[in-house]
Amino acid sequence: MTALDPVQDGSPAMNSGDAYTPGSARIFRLFGWTVLAIMTAFLINNYLTYWQNLPGVQPIYGGVANGSMSIIWSWFQLAIYAGLILWGFAYVMRSDRTLREDSARISNINAFLIRAAFFAVLIVGLVDAAISFLRVEGFLANVVGEQLAEDLGKSRFRGAYVHMPLIGLSVVIAAFTRTLGFTWLALLVVIAELMIVIGRFVFSYEQAFLADLVRFWYAALFLFASAYTLLEEGHVRVDVFYAGMSTKTKGYVNAFGSVVLGMTLCTVILFIGMGGKQNIINSPILTYEVTQAGFGLYVKYLMAGFLGVFAVTMLIQFVSYFLDAIADIRGEPGGRDHSSSAAH
């Protein structure tokens, strides 16, 4: 069958011809991987600047420079952007993946990040709740000793020596499992809320850490599941017109929305939240901020980080969505709307 031969439904074949070769899709792949490279470089430089006290790239463009080493470090941080962009360019040019293959690969990377975040909030929530329970009931010193019990009452100590290792463990767990577990997290939110109700009305027992645990898990459920819901087409869509569009027209709508609405929103969140030391995401994390409630969970700073996780995972998923939309526009096989007709 040639590119002009009709298929059984009378439409031209969409799986052959120069227009659909991997080489002709490289410009779109370059755009997608460049966006991801810049995002990754931004996050790396955010850590180097605000956690390791490097100068950032501002001294290169007239910002305050504290000596010659400051300029050298600034150029190094700028080189991170250039290096990652060049890596993305090299990856695209030396590989012949299709748009849908790249889209699937990016979604798989995103799924790994979401799994790691899920296990992190699950494990950190359970461990922090156990510590808070032992503290409020006066049992913690008997379990871990006076000095460690005192240290665990400090947010910087608990964050650095309890939460961070548990987050690292979550990344390892995420590498060996393929479940995202949002159903279980939703169930745990219900169980935690049920414990509050039973404790309050049956045993007259109520503690701040229980309410904190519900908020911690519910916020994670809402923000972490957004990218996965986008992948599964689960978001509510005003589709009065969209539902009746052709696959190609839907591709145009999705590509435009992914870039102009989706990627732009995520970029704004990252820039506003992490553009400076006192910004709304960086500031709570850098200070290990906690709530004012006595003996509550020490996870408020992590909840500020949830916004960053949301923006990063949604941006990654929008790149994947964009590539899939372009594949729809080009008529490449394998799409959800026309996979059945492509099988002919």
Side-chain angles (χ1 to χ4, degrees):
M1 180 182 295
T2 66
L4 299 178
D5 289 335
V7 290
Q8 293 180 8
D9 61 358
S11 60
M14 295 186 293
N15 59 350
S16 59
D18 293 340
Y20 310 132
T21 60
S24 64
R26 279 181 176 150
I27 185 65
F28 305 107
R29 296 177 60 217
L30 281 172
F31 171 77
W33 284 103
T34 298
V35 170
L36 297 181
I38 293 174
M39 180 200 70
T40 304
F42 174 82
L43 296 175
I44 293 173
N45 276 318
N46 184 79
Y47 169 78
L48 293 176
T49 302
Y50 302 117
W51 287 82
Q52 300 302 322
N53 296 315
L54 294 188
V57 299
Q58 288 81 3
I60 299 175
Y61 302 101
V64 178
N66 297 320
S68 59
M69 284 302 298
S70 178
I71 294 294
I72 293 174
W73 280 117
S74 293
W75 280 106
F76 168 74
Q77 290 184 258
L78 184 62
I80 293 175
Y81 284 95
L84 286 173
I85 291 173
L86 288 175
W87 175 88
F89 182 85
Y91 165 77
V92 171
M93 297 306 295
R94 70 170 182 259
S95 64
D96 288 326
R97 291 179 178 272
T98 66
L99 288 169
R100 297 205 195 277
E101 288 173 338
D102 254 6
S103 175
R105 186 171 194 180
I106 292 170
S107 285
N108 289 337
I109 294 172
N110 205 28
F112 166 74
L113 296 177
I114 297 171
R115 284 198 305 272
F118 161 76
F119 282 110
V121 298
L122 174 64
I123 298 172
V124 168
L126 291 174
V127 172
D128 208 86
I131 293 173
S132 296
F133 171 75
L134 292 174
R135 282 188 72 227
V136 74
E137 297 300 333
F139 299 142
L140 188 59
N142 296 330
V143 175
V144 300
E146 292 288 346
Q147 183 58 51
L148 185 54
E150 181 180 349
D151 290 337
L152 288 172
K154 303 173 183 177
S155 62
R156 286 188 174 273
F157 182 90
R158 197 188 297 192
Y161 296 101
V162 177
H163 297 167
M164 295 306 163
L166 292 177
I167 292 173
L169 174 63
S170 301
V171 174
V172 175
I173 295 174
F176 290 95
T177 181
R178 292 295 180 267
T179 177
L180 289 173
F182 292 122
T183 303
W184 293 107
L185 186 57
L187 178 61
L188 287 172
V189 170
V190 174
I191 292 174
E193 190 65 53
L194 182 61
M195 290 174 59
I196 293 176
V197 173
I198 293 175
R200 178 185 302 171
F201 295 104
V202 178
F203 300 102
S204 299
Y205 180 87
E206 184 177 5
Q207 296 295 341
F209 71 86
L210 290 172
D212 287 347
L213 183 61
V214 171
R215 284 192 290 269
F216 183 60
W217 280 344
Y218 184 77
L221 177 65
F222 178 79
L223 292 173
F224 295 173
S226 294
Y228 178 74
T229 307
L230 177 64
L231 170 65
E232 296 297 325
E233 297 276 6
H235 285 284
V236 176
R237 184 195 295 267
V238 181
D239 60 355
V240 175
F241 303 105
Y242 182 87
M245 292 178 181
S246 66
T247 298
K248 185 174 182 178
T249 305
K250 287 180 179 179
Y252 279 114
V253 172
N254 291 333
F256 177 84
S258 295
V259 176
V260 177
L261 302 178
M263 295 183 197
T264 301
L265 171 64
C266 296
T267 301
V268 169
I269 293 174
L270 289 175
F271 183 77
I272 293 178
M274 306 177 74
K277 192 171 186 177
Q278 299 303 320
N279 289 38
I280 57 175
I281 295 177
N282 279 342
S283 180
I285 295 176
L286 289 169
T287 59
Y288 292 99
E289 184 177 338
V290 297
T291 62
Q292 299 301 314
F295 298 100
L297 295 189
Y298 284 17
V299 296
K300 184 177 179 180
Y301 74 98
L302 290 176
M303 295 177 70
F306 286 0
L307 289 174
V309 175
F310 166 80
V312 168
T313 55
M314 286 295 284
L315 181 56
I316 295 172
Q317 200 57 53
F318 275 123
V319 170
S320 173
Y321 207 60
F322 168 78
L323 295 179
D324 205 45
I326 296 298
D328 286 338
I329 295 172
R330 288 158 50 90
E332 294 185 9
R336 299 181 186 184
D337 289 336
H338 57 75
S339 58
S340 59
S341 63
H344 294 297

